[in-house]
Amino acid sequence: MMETRLSSVLFLACCFVRAFGDDSPFVTTSQGRIVGTTLQFRPEGRPELHGAVDAYLGIPYAEPPVGPLRLRPPVAKSWSGELQAKMPGNPCPQPEIKMGKLSPIVRFAEDCLVLDVFVPQQVPSNAAVLVFIHGGGYFFGQGTIEELSPATTAVIGDVILVTMNYRLGALGFLSTGDDVIPGNFGLLDQQLALKWVRDNIQAFGGDPERVAIFGESAGSVSVNLQMLSPGSAGLFRGAIMESGNPHSPLSTTDHRKVAFALGKLLGCERDTSEELLQCLQKVEDIDSIIKSQQEGLAKEFGYGILLAPVVDGSFLPDQPAELYAKGAINDAVSIIGSNANEGMLGFTMLFPDNTDEAPFINSATYDAYYPMFGSIISTEPIVANAVKLMYTDPTCTDGPGCNYVEALSQMSGDFSFVCPADKTARAYTQAGRKVYRYFMTHDPTTKISGPSWLKANHGEEIPFVFGLPLVGLPSDDYPTTEDEVRMSIRTIKYWSNLAKTGNPNLSSLDAELTDEEKQTEWPLFTVEGLEYKDLTPDMLNGRGIKARECRFFNEFVPQLIKTAEDAKKCKESSSKWTQDGSSDSETCTKDKCPEVPEE
């Protein structure tokens, strides 16, 4: 039973056929020989795309992070001889979460720091390399998922594709805010995997000088942070960020409090970081760690991303905004983008059973839900009112037929994904880095995240990056169109070209664009022009992604919050405020708040 499950984990029955026999592909690295397996790529009705891929699965890049290596930086794996790399490795410990129409592997184990390498048999010598960093809010996910086989992208893009697993949740991001448990272990795992690619990819026919990394959601934030980490300089030449960057709201909770609270839940109530670490390294029941981080911490601190990257002074020397201001950004060409309906992500959790039609949210329900969506913006009432004014339809307010779903969705998506991407693109450009921007407005025929009313939801670009419209799903529940097949192929080639040439438009440095390609050539982003590619089958260009909304969030709202906070401080500190709340205008001015009188 286990053998059957493992053999089907990566490969779609309609498109991939595993080759059995004595002719297993192999490569020879400095450590020893790695033996893989061959996949025949056979998308139905598309003979022009047929090919074969040599897959090397479950290659360990680090020692198992157990015992004294738990909650410590990763240690490069030492091995010799022959490594059988025909089966995928373990995903890192995480809660079992249904991922829409996708089927992640659920045999979790701490011995999970592995990567997979997919090499098309027709790939050229010194091939370009794409390295994928998965998302999942830093608490779930895995590098390779059955229905999104990286082999498709490798064949269509004519590149070597590498995926990786990295530590998640408390095991990957717990921090005591000091050198004992500094945190960022999952990010250090990613960095070590990238160093493995640098040191070993030539054995697979790859060029370590032509590597691009890409990720979605938390994987996209990770790509951004690798761009800011001094230890990652020179490990890649391209960076692709799909819906996530360090300006996105993550955790504002005191990480040290979270660490000691988790220790208490696990029977490790201790006084010092050293004592806490020693106790946590001895906890044998991994399920109890996962349950405590998901349920126990949520009860104490509320739901949210409590375990996330931190400024540790080493991997991440300073706050991203400070590093941006200094131009301390690694040298790489970037693609930075987001989707038109990112905020629908929240509704998949609020209405998990609403599969037929979009939920109806009236004005009162909007006000009730706003704290859930808008508290990450500000709890100031004036800010909430400004956001509601900005996003609700002025021709339909408070009426019984007014649906506020789109208002909540767009507000949440713009604040969390679209407008932070605008900040990042501007910062990279001002630091002299080349940036290409995209905005996916295409409403997919089928969503991997749920029902059709989710539109271009968070993560819906992933099927196009991994070629799902070309191959469908095993259960035949992923209908698509020829336009979407064309869109997927174009997207894969854009991503692959960035690794090949540093330009998504060019597959080789001596290539020339056709007349048709010139008409839709993806322009560089500039602060003056705000150019971007509209990710649809037509791949047209545009200017100013949500420019009005992003000025609102990136410029006006911070000023409004400061004004509200200054007014509150002024009111609290002035001894001349009267009982009814009126003020002495000469005492409290917009330029100067009164000092608290000394007793």
Side-chain angles (χ1 to χ4, degrees), residues 570-588:
C570 178
K571 181 176 180 179
E572 292 172 351
S573 64
S574 174
S575 62
K576 294 191 177 182
W577 284 91
T578 62
Q579 290 288 334
D580 64 357
S582 62
S583 67
D584 181 339
S585 60
E586 292 182 358
T587 303
C588 241

Side-chain angles (χ1 to χ4, degrees), residues 366 370 374 377-378 381-392 407-408 411-412 415 552-553 556-557 560:
Y366 171 96
Y370 175 83
I377 304 171
S378 171
I382 193 171
V383 176
N385 292 336
V387 170
K388 189 171 185 179
L389 183 65
M390 178 73 177
Y391 279 88
T392 53
L408 272 175
M411 174 270 289
S412 176
F415 178 76
F552 172 75
F553 275 127
F556 177 71
V557 167
L560 187 61

Side-chain angles (χ1 to χ4, degrees), residues 115-138:
L115 48 79
D116 301 332
V117 182
F118 299 85
V119 185
Q121 289 189 345
Q122 301 302 316
V123 76
S125 60
N126 295 319
V129 183
L130 279 173
V131 181
F132 178 60
I133 302 177
H134 72 78
Y138 296 114

Side-chain angles (χ1 to χ4, degrees), residues 274-287:
E274 290 82 0
E275 292 170 337
L276 176 65
L277 174 62
Q278 291 173 9
C279 185
L280 291 175
Q281 287 178 334
K282 295 175 182 176
V283 175
E284 295 182 359
D285 186 0
I286 298 302
D287 289 340

Side-chain angles (χ1 to χ4, degrees), residues 151-313:
T152 306
T153 304
V155 170
I156 301 301
D158 199 27
V159 291
I160 295 174
L161 201 145
V162 180
T163 66
M164 68 175 79
N165 292 341
Y166 58 92
R167 281 174 284 178
L168 303 165
L171 296 171
F173 293 94
L174 195 74
S175 173
T176 51
D178 51 33
D179 292 338
V180 179
I181 308 178
N184 292 341
F185 306 115
L187 296 172
L188 290 167
D189 294 343
Q190 298 169 11
Q191 192 176 81
L192 184 59
L194 292 174
K195 290 178 179 178
W196 186 97
V197 170
R198 177 196 62 192
D199 297 338
N200 293 279
I201 204 65
Q202 281 184 303
F204 298 84
D207 184 350
E209 300 296 323
R210 295 201 297 161
V211 174
I213 62 177
F214 70 109
E216 186 271 340
S217 195
S220 177
V221 181
S222 298
V223 170
N224 269 271
L225 295 176
Q226 300 295 342
M227 283 285 287
L228 300 177
S229 179
S232 296
L235 294 177
F236 49 88
R237 63 178 288 174
I240 303 171
M241 289 148 264
E242 305 170 26
S243 303
N245 61 82
H247 285 297
S248 300
L250 291 172
S251 172
T252 57
T253 306
D254 186 317
H255 291 276
R256 187 172 178 83
K257 287 184 179 179
V258 171
F260 279 87
L262 181 66
K264 184 177 180 180
L265 291 168
L266 293 169
C268 290
E269 188 171 8
R270 299 292 189 270
D271 295 326
T272 68
S273 299
E274 290 82 0
E275 292 170 337
L276 176 65
L277 174 62
Q278 291 173 9
C279 185
L280 291 175
Q281 287 178 334
K282 295 175 182 176
V283 175
E284 295 182 359
D285 186 0
I286 298 302
D287 289 340
S288 68
I289 296 178
I290 302 303
K291 184 176 181 179
S292 295
Q293 77 178 32
Q294 294 305 114
E295 299 176 12
L297 292 180
K299 289 180 181 178
E300 182 165 349
F301 297 98
Y303 288 93
I305 300 179
L306 302 175
L307 299 158
V310 297
V311 175
D312 59 4

